[in-house]
Amino acid sequence: NALRLNDRPEEALPLFEASLALVQRYWSHDEDAILINQSNIACCLDDLGRWDEALVLKRQVFAGWVARLGASSKQAIVCGSNVLISLGRTGCFVEAQTFGRKLAALAKRVLGDEHALTLVILHGLVHARCRDPDVTRESLVDAEATLQDIVERQRRVLGATYPDTRAAQKDLSMLRQRL
């Protein structure tokens, strides 16, 4: 992970792939280790701009955690948020909105309205709606109100300088310029 976290994903990817191959060969019963390695590979693919490949793998990882721990597990919700972000990146805006609404409702029920992950999911949902080329002005106005609420809650829960808060604030500013 050190290579990836130091902006060297092209060097990290073959190491993660080798790690996954070893786990699958010698510890094939360790489903958690397999899912974690697959998730690391998906993150590397994201970092390399290979978003379609990353989305395929993220869907597999999400399905794996749902099968292992259930859809209400925090691990499954985290992986679901990764799928949501990838759907938006790959231009699957309608699917992102449908998936995001279900995931947001689940996150609110399991984690609560003020949980950092719930707020990230809500932000991802609004982001997908705003990037949809078929979005209506009415939907953008609604998205602005939702994003304003998300920013206020993130400031309260995470602080104004937290990266997720700053990203939501930036999106809110861009959305207001668009309106």
Side-chain angles (χ1 to χ4, degrees):
N1 254 344
L3 288 172
R4 189 183 146 259
L5 295 174
N6 283 292
D7 294 324
R8 296 167 60 185
E10 61 284 337
E11 295 172 64
L13 182 59
L15 297 176
F16 284 134
E17 290 171 335
S19 177
L20 176 61
L22 284 171
V23 169
Q24 288 174 324
R25 181 172 181 172
Y26 295 108
W27 301 282
S28 59
H29 62 281
D30 191 347
E31 295 174 42
D32 290 0
I34 291 170
L35 293 170
I36 289 166
N37 275 280
Q38 288 174 324
S39 184
N40 287 335
I41 291 169
C43 289
C44 269
L45 293 170
D46 256 351
D47 293 343
L48 293 168
R50 294 165 56 181
W51 298 317
D52 291 324
E53 293 170 77
L55 176 58
V56 169
L57 200 48
K58 286 179 182 184
R59 286 180 197 263
Q60 290 174 355
V61 171
F62 174 68
W65 285 118
V66 168
R68 291 251 319 119
L69 303 174
S72 296
S73 70
K74 187 172 180 184
Q75 190 63 40
I77 295 171
V78 167
C79 289
S81 71
N82 292 337
V83 171
L84 173 62
I85 291 165
S86 286
L87 286 168
R89 274 196 185 127
T90 56
C92 302
F93 304 118
V94 173
E95 184 180 356
Q97 292 173 66
T98 302
F99 180 76
R101 280 191 290 276
K102 292 176 186 174
L103 187 63
L106 178 66
K108 285 179 184 180
R109 183 174 51 79
V110 173
L111 304 172
D113 289 340
E114 303 275 315
H115 194 279
L117 184 54
T118 302
L119 296 172
V120 165
I121 291 166
L122 291 170
H123 180 203
L125 177 57
V126 169
H127 191 76
R129 185 181 346 161
C130 292
R131 291 189 59 212
D132 186 341
D134 298 326
V135 69
T136 65
R137 178 167 173 71
E138 181 181 326
S139 187
L140 286 175
V141 169
D142 180 57
E144 179 191 19
T146 302
L147 197 50
Q148 177 63 44
D149 178 59
I150 292 167
V151 168
E152 288 171 7
R153 286 194 274 162
Q154 284 180 321
R155 281 185 187 141
R156 189 172 57 253
V157 173
L158 304 171
T161 60
Y162 194 76
D164 291 340
T165 306
R166 291 194 328 228
Q169 181 64 56
K170 180 181 173 188
D171 283 352
L172 179 60
S173 296
M174 291 172 54
L175 178 56
R176 287 181 172 157
Q177 289 175 353
R178 188 172 168 189
L179 289 171

